[in-house]
Amino acid sequence: MNGYRGRTAALAVAGLLLAPACGAWEFKGYGRAGLGGAEGGGRQGCFQLPGAPAKYRLGNECEDYWELQLSDDLYRGADGTVLKLEGMASLTHFYDRSPSFDGDNGRARLPQLWAALQPPLLGGGSVWAGRRYYKRHDVHLNDFYYWNPSGTGFGLEDLPLGRYALSYAFLREDTVEQPDKANRHDLHLAGLAPNPGGTVELGLSYVQKAGQVRGAHSGWSFTAEHVQHGFLGGENRLVAQYGQGPGIGLGQTGELTDDRHVSRLRLLDTVIWQVTERVGGQVLALVQRDREAEGRATWRSVGVRPAYAVSEHFKLVVELGHDSLEPARGATRRLDKLTLAPTLSAGPAFMTRPELRLYYTYARWNRAAQQAADPGGTLSDSGVFGASRHGSNVGVQLETWW
């Protein structure tokens, strides 16, 4: 981020923080902050398999991160018309570095700023425009946003079709780091109830050919998600996704020069359970297969985080995670990770926050993962653990949302 961007983001953050004094704004957010280091000395290194899109996060996050979100109904008409404004500032600071939000030590951004108009004509639906987190779906265990059509654009949201709800969005920019922009169209259908306690959501995304990019192609993706509510006191989420060309982002925009011979298939199942007041957790099983110009690649991931509340405000939490990546060329990379975390919590349930954790994390990886790591990266032979193919971290972390 350059100096101008940093000052602009800082002013936006200040505006969001001061806005509650100006009206009846609703304030929501998320935050985590901590301090950690490698066992035996040195900075904490986070363990993520090279080429894998996500990592198991308990005791394995190397930054403080906050999202501060404000929303307000700016106008309510006598006929029921509502005009809503929503904005969010995000703040990141990396461990073991001097505080900064205008450089490599951290950043301040405005990832959301959008308005929505809900007139009676749309029967509960709305028309919106701006930059927003749009219909995101994630796995909390590894912070993986497997379905994330967010971006900058406009759309019609939750238009009622009987018991169903249809949404359409036109988006131009996924993220500020996206070097080349392409038009993306997103259709979303919700409200399907194929079985008692079960709901289905369907999504179709089409990425137009970017005329300004030499060798660009169009692409598409499709997502189907079934959620069984009340499963083991929580939910079971089963997801199937497929995309071709720039559609391999599976909701977002992939490489614009990929053609129809490049594809991605992803299947995942995740369960959050709360079988008693004190016994909860989450498990994930995922496989992703890519067809690339160089050949085929497969990412497999399985992880579990059980939690037991010893008392009303004290939990014992364990997380086990395994990732493997079979690249189009070269040997299969593997990473295993274990975290033990005695935790103070606001309540005994698995998803209750805030939580204050003391953690110990141990990981091991194979030579292929070490050789594929970026120089200086945690798994590389020039990283914090040197030529070793195992390492551990200790630390403390606060996580909360409201």
Side-chain angles (χ1 to χ4, degrees):
M1 178 187 294
N2 58 37
Y4 174 78
R5 268 184 165 176
R7 289 190 294 273
T8 302
L11 289 172
V13 171
L16 284 172
L17 293 175
L18 294 173
C22 305
W25 292 80
E26 181 183 4
F27 182 42
K28 298 183 290 185
Y30 167 84
R32 63 175 182 261
L35 179 67
E39 188 180 25
R43 62 181 176 84
Q44 175 169 314
C46 283
F47 305 106
Q48 182 167 350
L49 188 67
K55 58 182 171 60
Y56 290 94
R57 64 191 294 195
L58 183 66
N60 197 31
E61 293 173 307
C62 290
E63 68 284 322
D64 300 326
Y65 179 71
W66 294 84
E67 291 180 344
L68 308 174
Q69 183 173 342
L70 290 170
S71 61
D72 188 34
D73 294 340
L74 297 181
Y75 172 78
R76 283 187 170 271
D79 63 350
T81 298
V82 177
L83 176 63
K84 175 183 177 180
L85 178 66
E86 187 162 321
M88 174 190 284
S90 67
L91 311 171
T92 305
H93 168 246
F94 299 106
Y95 285 0
D96 199 34
R97 299 184 187 178
S98 299
S100 168
F101 295 108
D102 187 19
D104 293 337
N105 293 356
R107 57 182 176 265
R109 287 181 176 167
L110 194 66
Q112 293 200 79
L113 185 60
W114 58 280
L117 180 67
Q118 188 179 60
L121 177 65
L122 297 182
S126 62
V127 56
W128 65 271
R131 172 156 188 82
R132 65 180 293 192
Y133 290 159
Y134 181 69
K135 299 191 181 299
R136 301 193 305 169
H137 297 239
D138 76 307
V139 179
H140 175 74
L141 192 65
N142 61 351
D143 205 24
F144 180 44
Y145 284 86
Y146 57 88
W147 189 7
N148 184 14
S150 300
T152 301
F154 63 88
L156 295 168
E157 186 170 17
D158 294 336
L159 301 180
L161 297 176
R163 61 192 178 113
Y164 307 119
L166 179 67
S167 302
Y168 164 77
F170 172 89
L171 300 121
R172 177 69 176 168
E173 179 183 86
D174 292 0
T175 67
V176 293
E177 291 89 359
Q178 189 179 0
D180 297 299
K181 317 303 179 187
N183 297 336
R184 178 162 54 86
H185 306 267
D186 188 86
L187 280 173
H188 182 272
L189 183 65
L192 290 80
N195 63 290
T199 59
V200 167
E201 294 184 36
L202 303 175
L204 178 65
S205 177
Y206 175 71
V207 181
Q208 289 181 226
K209 178 179 178 180
Q212 80 279 13
V213 178
R214 184 170 185 162
H217 297 271
S218 61
W220 62 274
S221 68
F222 177 76
T223 296
E225 177 181 86
H226 178 275
V227 180
Q228 188 65 40
H229 304 277
F231 185 79
L232 297 180
E235 66 174 33
N236 181 24
R237 193 175 294 260
L238 181 63
V239 183
Q241 299 176 284
Y242 179 79
Q244 285 187 359
I248 64 168
L250 300 181
Q252 293 213 300
T253 304
E255 180 60 49
L256 296 178
T257 55
D258 286 343
D259 62 18
R260 63 185 179 84
H261 298 293
V262 177
S263 64
R264 171 168 293 164
L265 172 66
R266 181 189 296 149
L267 302 173
L268 71 87
D269 189 21
T270 181
V271 177
I272 293 179
W273 70 85
Q274 193 70 54
V275 293
T276 72
E277 182 184 24
R278 295 191 175 189
V279 179
Q282 185 173 19
V283 63
L284 166 69
L286 177 153
V287 60
Q288 175 178 296
R289 292 186 173 173
D290 293 348
R291 184 178 66 180
E292 307 169 349
E294 297 83 7
R296 297 180 183 272
T298 302
W299 170 43
R300 295 182 178 89
S301 186
V302 60
V304 62
R305 187 195 296 184
Y308 173 68
V310 178
S311 65
E312 183 71 16
H313 299 294
F314 181 70
K315 300 175 187 174
L316 295 175
V317 186
V318 177
E319 185 176 271
L320 286 164
H322 169 78
D323 285 291
S324 70
L325 180 69
E326 182 181 344
R329 295 179 180 175
T332 298
R333 308 163 193 169
R334 295 186 179 89
L335 170 68
D336 297 293
K337 174 254 185 193
L338 166 68
T339 297
L340 307 175
T343 299
L344 296 176
S345 177
F350 175 69
M351 295 297 283
T352 298
R353 300 295 186 273
E355 286 188 347
L356 179 63
R357 309 151 177 157
L358 179 67
Y359 62 82
Y360 169 79
T361 296
Y362 173 80
R364 64 182 184 183
W365 53 97
N366 67 354
R367 184 176 298 277
Q370 185 179 65
Q371 292 174 339
D374 291 333
T378 302
L379 273 59
S380 74
D381 58 11
S382 57
V384 63
F385 301 108
S388 297
R389 294 199 298 274
H390 62 88
S392 57
N393 293 317
V394 293
V396 62
Q397 184 190 55
L398 169 71
E399 183 183 48
T400 186
W401 52 67
W402 64 93

